Amino acid sequence: MSIRPPRPAHRFALASEVIAIEFGTLEYAVRGEGPPILMVHGTGGGFDQGLSFGAGLRRHGYQIIAPSRFGYLRSDYPAAPSSANQADAFVALLDHLGIDRLPVVGGSAGALSAVAFALRHPERCSLLILLVPAANVSGRDPVEMTALQKLLVERVLGSDFAYWSARTVAPKRLIGTLLATDPALLDRVEPGERACAYRILDEMLPVSARVRGVRNDARLASAPGALAYRDIAVPTLIVSVEDDRFGTAATARYLAATIRDARLVILPRGGHIWLGADDAVAEHIARFISEPGADAPPRSPQRARQR
């Protein structure tokens, strides 16, 4: 009897919606009740990962709007899949939903299009929250790998069967490599948090429906100086983890020193998926959003600030 990987692609038609925009088809899902938050997923994700990352905020009484970025799942991959165009696609989604202004949360490589949204459309972005932001801010590729690591990752991400096989045989290795999180932490967290790590791995299937987005993320995240972080004019919270193997703690510190009045939270451990700290991250974000004056108009950007 042959062993075949599961075929989860059909679940998306029931769990998400699609709309036609300037850049083609855009997929999204909405869950929960309360004030809306735009949750922008990271590499290897889609609307499903966005919903997972927003689960803690739903428990705080917020509604999560989770789009699939360019090249992920049922969202098209346009000729120019830039962070700027992705930000404009978010505006089209908000227009479709009748939402004028809301907080935007960008995780990992999703932080790039979240920043672009805040820069291009500050009147639509009440707050900016960056989680473990993967960006080249100092000439260092945040997901730089050796030639051997790149070969292995390309093979795993190039095939649903190869990924499923690796997920079945060596899930901890994938957690250490793809999720940039020390697998030893799995034995130190609650069962629910442990299950969350494995769910993130499972949600990457089918990788064949995400691979164009993954490759585009790698290209955008490795490009140095791609975004004018100094010009961000909305209140910003940056959250990272000290032991993130992608080195986003250093990126977060740089951004906090660059973005005017940005607030910085560095958690001691949890890796790139903040393993064991999901409640703490949701609490930091919810507190930031609920502060008095959080919905104030955007500031004038400071275009000539010197460090």
Side-chain angles (χ1 to χ4, degrees), residues 209-263:
R210 309 174 199 258
V211 67
R212 289 186 301 176
V214 169
R215 288 171 176 158
N216 190 49
D217 282 350
R219 179 181 64 84
L220 294 175
S222 65
L227 294 166
Y229 296 102
R230 294 179 187 277
D231 290 347
I232 292 174
V234 301
T236 302
L237 170 68
I238 308 166
V239 180
S240 186
V241 188
E242 198 69 71
D243 66 349
D244 182 349
R245 291 182 173 182
F246 286 154
T248 66
T251 301
R253 290 187 174 97
Y254 174 91
L255 293 176
T258 302
I259 300 170
R260 178 182 173 188
D261 298 329
R263 189 171 307 178

Short mmCIF file of all heavy atoms in Angstrom, two decimals, residues 209-263:
data_model
loop_
_atom_site.label_atom_id
_atom_site.label_comp_id
_atom_site.label_asym_id
_atom_site.label_seq_id
_atom_site.Cartn_x
_atom_site.Cartn_y
_atom_site.Cartn_z
N ALA A 209 0.96 25.36 -2.77
CA ALA A 209 0.08 26.52 -2.91
C ALA A 209 0.65 27.76 -2.22
O ALA A 209 -0.02 28.80 -2.17
CB ALA A 209 -1.31 26.21 -2.35
N ARG A 210 1.86 27.63 -1.70
CA ARG A 210 2.47 28.75 -0.97
C ARG A 210 3.89 29.07 -1.46
O ARG A 210 4.47 30.08 -1.05
CB ARG A 210 2.53 28.43 0.52
CG ARG A 210 1.20 27.96 1.12
CD ARG A 210 1.35 27.52 2.57
NE ARG A 210 0.27 26.68 3.01
CZ ARG A 210 -0.76 27.05 3.77
NH1 ARG A 210 -0.83 28.30 4.19
NH2 ARG A 210 -1.71 26.21 4.11
N VAL A 211 4.44 28.23 -2.30
CA VAL A 211 5.87 28.33 -2.60
C VAL A 211 6.22 29.65 -3.30
O VAL A 211 7.29 30.21 -3.05
CB VAL A 211 6.33 27.11 -3.43
CG1 VAL A 211 5.70 27.10 -4.82
CG2 VAL A 211 7.84 27.06 -3.51
N ARG A 212 5.34 30.18 -4.15
CA ARG A 212 5.66 31.46 -4.80
C ARG A 212 5.72 32.58 -3.76
O ARG A 212 6.58 33.47 -3.84
CB ARG A 212 4.63 31.79 -5.87
CG ARG A 212 4.72 30.92 -7.10
CD ARG A 212 3.76 31.38 -8.19
NE ARG A 212 2.38 31.35 -7.74
CZ ARG A 212 1.36 31.77 -8.47
NH1 ARG A 212 1.55 32.27 -9.67
NH2 ARG A 212 0.12 31.70 -7.99
N GLY A 213 4.82 32.54 -2.79
CA GLY A 213 4.85 33.53 -1.72
C GLY A 213 6.10 33.40 -0.86
O GLY A 213 6.70 34.40 -0.47
N VAL A 214 6.49 32.16 -0.57
CA VAL A 214 7.69 31.91 0.24
C VAL A 214 8.92 32.48 -0.46
O VAL A 214 9.76 33.17 0.17
CB VAL A 214 7.87 30.40 0.50
CG1 VAL A 214 9.23 30.11 1.10
CG2 VAL A 214 6.76 29.89 1.41
N ARG A 215 9.05 32.22 -1.74
CA ARG A 215 10.22 32.71 -2.48
C ARG A 215 10.22 34.23 -2.59
O ARG A 215 11.27 34.88 -2.51
CB ARG A 215 10.26 32.06 -3.85
CG ARG A 215 10.65 30.58 -3.79
CD ARG A 215 10.49 29.88 -5.12
NE ARG A 215 10.96 28.50 -5.04
CZ ARG A 215 10.59 27.55 -5.87
NH1 ARG A 215 9.74 27.82 -6.86
NH2 ARG A 215 11.06 26.32 -5.73
N ASN A 216 9.03 34.81 -2.74
CA ASN A 216 8.95 36.27 -2.78
C ASN A 216 9.32 36.87 -1.43
O ASN A 216 10.00 37.90 -1.37
CB ASN A 216 7.54 36.69 -3.18
CG ASN A 216 7.43 38.18 -3.47
OD1 ASN A 216 8.23 38.73 -4.22
ND2 ASN A 216 6.44 38.84 -2.88
N ASP A 217 8.89 36.24 -0.34
CA ASP A 217 9.26 36.72 1.00
C ASP A 217 10.77 36.72 1.17
O ASP A 217 11.35 37.66 1.73
CB ASP A 217 8.63 35.84 2.07
CG ASP A 217 7.17 36.15 2.29
OD1 ASP A 217 6.67 37.16 1.76
OD2 ASP A 217 6.51 35.37 3.01
N ALA A 218 11.42 35.64 0.72
CA ALA A 218 12.88 35.55 0.86
C ALA A 218 13.55 36.69 0.09
O ALA A 218 14.53 37.28 0.57
CB ALA A 218 13.37 34.20 0.36
N ARG A 219 13.02 37.01 -1.09
CA ARG A 219 13.59 38.09 -1.89
C ARG A 219 13.39 39.44 -1.21
O ARG A 219 14.32 40.25 -1.11
CB ARG A 219 12.94 38.09 -3.27
CG ARG A 219 13.42 39.19 -4.20
CD ARG A 219 12.71 39.12 -5.54
NE ARG A 219 11.28 39.36 -5.41
CZ ARG A 219 10.73 40.59 -5.37
NH1 ARG A 219 11.50 41.67 -5.42
NH2 ARG A 219 9.42 40.73 -5.26
N LEU A 220 12.18 39.70 -0.72
CA LEU A 220 11.89 40.99 -0.11
C LEU A 220 12.60 41.17 1.23
O LEU A 220 13.11 42.25 1.53
CB LEU A 220 10.38 41.14 0.08
CG LEU A 220 9.53 41.22 -1.19
CD1 LEU A 220 8.04 41.23 -0.84
CD2 LEU A 220 9.89 42.44 -2.02
N ALA A 221 12.63 40.11 2.04
CA ALA A 221 13.25 40.22 3.37
C ALA A 221 14.75 40.40 3.28
O ALA A 221 15.36 41.00 4.18
CB ALA A 221 12.91 38.98 4.20
N SER A 222 15.37 39.89 2.22
CA SER A 222 16.82 40.00 2.11
C SER A 222 17.28 41.32 1.50
O SER A 222 18.46 41.67 1.57
CB SER A 222 17.36 38.84 1.25
OG SER A 222 16.89 38.94 -0.08
N ALA A 223 16.35 42.09 0.93
CA ALA A 223 16.72 43.35 0.27
C ALA A 223 17.01 44.42 1.32
O ALA A 223 16.14 44.75 2.14
CB ALA A 223 15.59 43.82 -0.64
N PRO A 224 18.22 44.98 1.35
CA PRO A 224 18.56 45.98 2.38
C PRO A 224 17.91 47.33 2.10
O PRO A 224 17.78 47.76 0.95
CB PRO A 224 20.08 46.07 2.29
CG PRO A 224 20.39 45.69 0.86
CD PRO A 224 19.36 44.67 0.47
N GLY A 225 17.48 47.99 3.18
CA GLY A 225 16.97 49.36 3.07
C GLY A 225 15.79 49.54 2.16
O GLY A 225 15.65 50.56 1.49
N ALA A 226 14.88 48.55 2.13
CA ALA A 226 13.77 48.61 1.18
C ALA A 226 12.66 49.55 1.63
O ALA A 226 11.88 50.02 0.80
CB ALA A 226 13.21 47.21 0.95
N LEU A 227 12.55 49.83 2.92
CA LEU A 227 11.44 50.62 3.45
C LEU A 227 11.95 51.80 4.28
O LEU A 227 12.97 51.69 4.96
CB LEU A 227 10.52 49.74 4.30
CG LEU A 227 9.79 48.63 3.55
CD1 LEU A 227 9.19 47.63 4.53
CD2 LEU A 227 8.70 49.21 2.65
N ALA A 228 11.21 52.91 4.23
CA ALA A 228 11.61 54.13 4.95
C ALA A 228 11.04 54.09 6.36
O ALA A 228 10.07 54.79 6.68
CB ALA A 228 11.13 55.36 4.19
N TYR A 229 11.65 53.31 7.22
CA TYR A 229 11.11 53.12 8.58
C TYR A 229 11.04 54.44 9.35
O TYR A 229 10.15 54.63 10.18
CB TYR A 229 11.98 52.12 9.34
CG TYR A 229 11.94 50.73 8.76
CD1 TYR A 229 12.99 50.25 7.98
CD2 TYR A 229 10.85 49.88 8.96
CE1 TYR A 229 12.97 48.98 7.44
CE2 TYR A 229 10.82 48.61 8.43
CZ TYR A 229 11.88 48.17 7.66
OH TYR A 229 11.84 46.91 7.11
N ARG A 230 11.95 55.36 9.07
CA ARG A 230 11.95 56.65 9.79
C ARG A 230 10.70 57.47 9.52
O ARG A 230 10.36 58.37 10.28
CB ARG A 230 13.18 57.47 9.39
CG ARG A 230 14.51 56.87 9.82
CD ARG A 230 15.66 57.75 9.36
NE ARG A 230 16.94 57.11 9.62
CZ ARG A 230 17.56 57.14 10.78
NH1 ARG A 230 17.01 57.80 11.78
NH2 ARG A 230 18.72 56.53 10.95
N ASP A 231 10.01 57.17 8.42
CA ASP A 231 8.85 57.96 8.05
C ASP A 231 7.55 57.41 8.61
O ASP A 231 6.47 57.97 8.34
CB ASP A 231 8.74 58.04 6.53
CG ASP A 231 9.84 58.90 5.91
OD1 ASP A 231 10.51 59.62 6.67
OD2 ASP A 231 10.02 58.84 4.68
N ILE A 232 7.60 56.34 9.37
CA ILE A 232 6.38 55.79 9.96
C ILE A 232 5.79 56.82 10.92
O ILE A 232 6.47 57.32 11.81
CB ILE A 232 6.66 54.47 10.68
CG1 ILE A 232 7.04 53.40 9.64
CG2 ILE A 232 5.46 54.01 11.49
CD1 ILE A 232 7.49 52.08 10.26
N ALA A 233 4.51 57.12 10.73
CA ALA A 233 3.88 58.21 11.48
C ALA A 233 2.72 57.74 12.35
O ALA A 233 1.93 58.55 12.81
CB ALA A 233 3.39 59.28 10.52
N VAL A 234 2.61 56.45 12.57
CA VAL A 234 1.55 55.92 13.43
C VAL A 234 2.20 55.26 14.64
O VAL A 234 3.35 54.81 14.59
CB VAL A 234 0.67 54.90 12.69
CG1 VAL A 234 0.03 55.56 11.47
CG2 VAL A 234 1.45 53.67 12.27
N PRO A 235 1.50 55.23 15.79
CA PRO A 235 2.07 54.57 16.97
C PRO A 235 2.44 53.12 16.66
O PRO A 235 1.67 52.39 16.02
CB PRO A 235 0.93 54.65 17.99
CG PRO A 235 0.11 55.83 17.54
CD PRO A 235 0.17 55.82 16.05
N THR A 236 3.61 52.71 17.12
CA THR A 236 4.15 51.41 16.73
C THR A 236 4.62 50.62 17.94
O THR A 236 5.30 51.15 18.82
CB THR A 236 5.34 51.60 15.75
OG1 THR A 236 4.90 52.33 14.61
CG2 THR A 236 5.91 50.26 15.32
N LEU A 237 4.25 49.35 17.96
CA LEU A 237 4.74 48.40 18.95
C LEU A 237 5.53 47.33 18.22
O LEU A 237 5.09 46.80 17.19
CB LEU A 237 3.57 47.74 19.70
CG LEU A 237 3.91 46.55 20.60
CD1 LEU A 237 4.74 46.99 21.80
CD2 LEU A 237 2.63 45.83 21.05
N ILE A 238 6.70 47.00 18.74
CA ILE A 238 7.56 45.98 18.14
C ILE A 238 7.81 44.91 19.19
O ILE A 238 8.26 45.22 20.30
CB ILE A 238 8.89 46.57 17.65
CG1 ILE A 238 8.63 47.78 16.74
CG2 ILE A 238 9.71 45.52 16.91
CD1 ILE A 238 9.86 48.62 16.49
N VAL A 239 7.53 43.66 18.85
CA VAL A 239 7.70 42.54 19.77
C VAL A 239 8.60 41.51 19.12
O VAL A 239 8.38 41.10 17.97
CB VAL A 239 6.34 41.88 20.12
CG1 VAL A 239 6.55 40.72 21.09
CG2 VAL A 239 5.38 42.91 20.70
N SER A 240 9.63 41.09 19.85
CA SER A 240 10.50 40.04 19.35
C SER A 240 10.93 39.15 20.51
O SER A 240 10.51 39.35 21.65
CB SER A 240 11.72 40.62 18.63
OG SER A 240 12.46 39.58 18.03
N VAL A 241 11.76 38.16 20.18
CA VAL A 241 12.19 37.16 21.16
C VAL A 241 13.71 37.02 21.06
O VAL A 241 14.26 36.91 19.96
CB VAL A 241 11.51 35.81 20.89
CG1 VAL A 241 11.81 34.84 22.02
CG2 VAL A 241 10.00 35.98 20.75
N GLU A 242 14.35 37.03 22.22
CA GLU A 242 15.81 37.06 22.25
C GLU A 242 16.45 35.87 21.54
O GLU A 242 17.48 36.01 20.88
CB GLU A 242 16.29 37.11 23.71
CG GLU A 242 17.72 37.57 23.88
CD GLU A 242 17.90 39.04 23.55
OE1 GLU A 242 17.43 39.89 24.31
OE2 GLU A 242 18.51 39.33 22.50
N ASP A 243 15.85 34.68 21.67
CA ASP A 243 16.48 33.50 21.10
C ASP A 243 15.91 33.12 19.72
O ASP A 243 16.10 31.98 19.27
CB ASP A 243 16.37 32.31 22.05
CG ASP A 243 14.93 31.84 22.27
OD1 ASP A 243 14.00 32.55 21.85
OD2 ASP A 243 14.74 30.75 22.86
N ASP A 244 15.25 34.04 19.06
CA ASP A 244 14.79 33.81 17.69
C ASP A 244 16.00 33.53 16.80
O ASP A 244 16.91 34.36 16.70
CB ASP A 244 14.04 35.05 17.20
CG ASP A 244 13.47 34.90 15.79
OD1 ASP A 244 13.82 33.93 15.09
OD2 ASP A 244 12.66 35.76 15.41
N ARG A 245 16.03 32.38 16.16
CA ARG A 245 17.18 32.01 15.34
C ARG A 245 17.31 32.84 14.07
O ARG A 245 18.34 32.79 13.40
CB ARG A 245 17.12 30.52 15.01
CG ARG A 245 17.34 29.63 16.22
CD ARG A 245 17.33 28.16 15.86
NE ARG A 245 17.70 27.33 17.01
CZ ARG A 245 17.81 26.00 16.96
NH1 ARG A 245 17.56 25.35 15.84
NH2 ARG A 245 18.17 25.32 18.04
N PHE A 246 16.28 33.59 13.71
CA PHE A 246 16.37 34.52 12.60
C PHE A 246 16.92 35.87 13.03
O PHE A 246 17.02 36.79 12.21
CB PHE A 246 15.00 34.71 11.93
CG PHE A 246 14.55 33.54 11.09
CD1 PHE A 246 13.20 33.31 10.89
CD2 PHE A 246 15.47 32.68 10.50
CE1 PHE A 246 12.77 32.25 10.11
CE2 PHE A 246 15.05 31.61 9.73
CZ PHE A 246 13.70 31.38 9.53
N GLY A 247 17.25 36.03 14.28
CA GLY A 247 17.88 37.25 14.77
C GLY A 247 16.98 38.46 14.75
O GLY A 247 17.46 39.61 14.65
N THR A 248 15.68 38.28 14.92
CA THR A 248 14.78 39.43 14.84
C THR A 248 14.85 40.32 16.07
O THR A 248 14.34 41.45 16.02
CB THR A 248 13.32 38.99 14.61
OG1 THR A 248 12.84 38.28 15.77
CG2 THR A 248 13.20 38.12 13.37
N ALA A 249 15.46 39.86 17.16
CA ALA A 249 15.60 40.75 18.32
C ALA A 249 16.48 41.95 17.97
O ALA A 249 16.18 43.09 18.34
CB ALA A 249 16.18 39.98 19.51
N ALA A 250 17.57 41.70 17.24
CA ALA A 250 18.43 42.80 16.81
C ALA A 250 17.69 43.72 15.84
O ALA A 250 17.82 44.95 15.91
CB ALA A 250 19.70 42.25 16.16
N THR A 251 16.91 43.12 14.95
CA THR A 251 16.11 43.92 14.02
C THR A 251 15.11 44.78 14.78
O THR A 251 14.92 45.96 14.48
CB THR A 251 15.37 43.01 13.04
OG1 THR A 251 16.32 42.23 12.31
CG2 THR A 251 14.52 43.81 12.07
N ALA A 252 14.46 44.19 15.77
CA ALA A 252 13.47 44.92 16.56
C ALA A 252 14.11 46.11 17.28
O ALA A 252 13.52 47.20 17.34
CB ALA A 252 12.81 43.98 17.56
N ARG A 253 15.29 45.90 17.83
CA ARG A 253 15.97 46.99 18.53
C ARG A 253 16.32 48.12 17.55
O ARG A 253 16.19 49.31 17.88
CB ARG A 253 17.22 46.47 19.23
CG ARG A 253 16.91 45.58 20.43
CD ARG A 253 18.19 45.22 21.19
NE ARG A 253 17.87 44.48 22.41
CZ ARG A 253 17.91 43.14 22.53
NH1 ARG A 253 18.28 42.42 21.47
NH2 ARG A 253 17.59 42.57 23.66
N TYR A 254 16.78 47.75 16.37
CA TYR A 254 17.09 48.78 15.37
C TYR A 254 15.83 49.57 15.01
O TYR A 254 15.85 50.80 14.95
CB TYR A 254 17.68 48.12 14.12
CG TYR A 254 17.89 49.07 12.98
CD1 TYR A 254 19.10 49.74 12.82
CD2 TYR A 254 16.87 49.34 12.05
CE1 TYR A 254 19.29 50.64 11.78
CE2 TYR A 254 17.05 50.23 11.02
CZ TYR A 254 18.25 50.88 10.88
OH TYR A 254 18.44 51.78 9.86
N LEU A 255 14.74 48.87 14.76
CA LEU A 255 13.51 49.54 14.38
C LEU A 255 12.98 50.43 15.50
O LEU A 255 12.49 51.54 15.25
CB LEU A 255 12.45 48.51 13.98
CG LEU A 255 12.75 47.72 12.71
CD1 LEU A 255 11.67 46.66 12.49
CD2 LEU A 255 12.86 48.63 11.50
N ALA A 256 13.11 49.97 16.74
CA ALA A 256 12.64 50.77 17.87
C ALA A 256 13.44 52.05 18.01
O ALA A 256 12.92 53.08 18.46
CB ALA A 256 12.71 49.95 19.15
N ALA A 257 14.73 52.00 17.64
CA ALA A 257 15.56 53.19 17.71
C ALA A 257 15.34 54.10 16.50
O ALA A 257 15.73 55.27 16.53
CB ALA A 257 17.03 52.79 17.78
N THR A 258 14.72 53.59 15.46
CA THR A 258 14.56 54.33 14.22
C THR A 258 13.17 54.94 14.09
O THR A 258 13.02 56.08 13.61
CB THR A 258 14.81 53.40 13.01
OG1 THR A 258 16.13 52.85 13.12
CG2 THR A 258 14.67 54.14 11.69
N ILE A 259 12.15 54.21 14.52
CA ILE A 259 10.77 54.68 14.40
C ILE A 259 10.44 55.57 15.59
O ILE A 259 10.63 55.19 16.74
CB ILE A 259 9.80 53.49 14.35
CG1 ILE A 259 10.12 52.60 13.14
CG2 ILE A 259 8.35 53.97 14.28
CD1 ILE A 259 9.38 51.28 13.15
N ARG A 260 9.92 56.71 15.32
CA ARG A 260 9.66 57.70 16.36
C ARG A 260 8.69 57.15 17.41
O ARG A 260 7.60 56.68 17.08
CB ARG A 260 9.07 58.95 15.72
CG ARG A 260 8.72 60.05 16.70
CD ARG A 260 8.09 61.21 15.97
NE ARG A 260 7.59 62.22 16.88
CZ ARG A 260 6.86 63.27 16.49
NH1 ARG A 260 6.56 63.42 15.22
NH2 ARG A 260 6.45 64.14 17.38
N ASP A 261 9.12 57.22 18.67
CA ASP A 261 8.29 56.85 19.82
C ASP A 261 7.82 55.39 19.79
O ASP A 261 6.81 55.05 20.41
CB ASP A 261 7.06 57.76 19.94
CG ASP A 261 7.45 59.22 20.16
OD1 ASP A 261 8.51 59.45 20.77
OD2 ASP A 261 6.69 60.11 19.72
N ALA A 262 8.52 54.54 19.07
CA ALA A 262 8.12 53.13 19.02
C ALA A 262 8.34 52.48 20.37
O ALA A 262 9.26 52.82 21.11
CB ALA A 262 8.92 52.40 17.96
N ARG A 263 7.47 51.54 20.68
CA ARG A 263 7.57 50.78 21.93
C ARG A 263 8.16 49.41 21.62
O ARG A 263 7.78 48.77 20.64
CB ARG A 263 6.20 50.65 22.57
CG ARG A 263 6.24 50.05 23.97
CD ARG A 263 4.88 50.15 24.61
NE ARG A 263 4.37 51.52 24.58
CZ ARG A 263 3.18 51.86 25.04
NH1 ARG A 263 2.37 50.94 25.55
NH2 ARG A 263 2.78 53.11 24.98
#
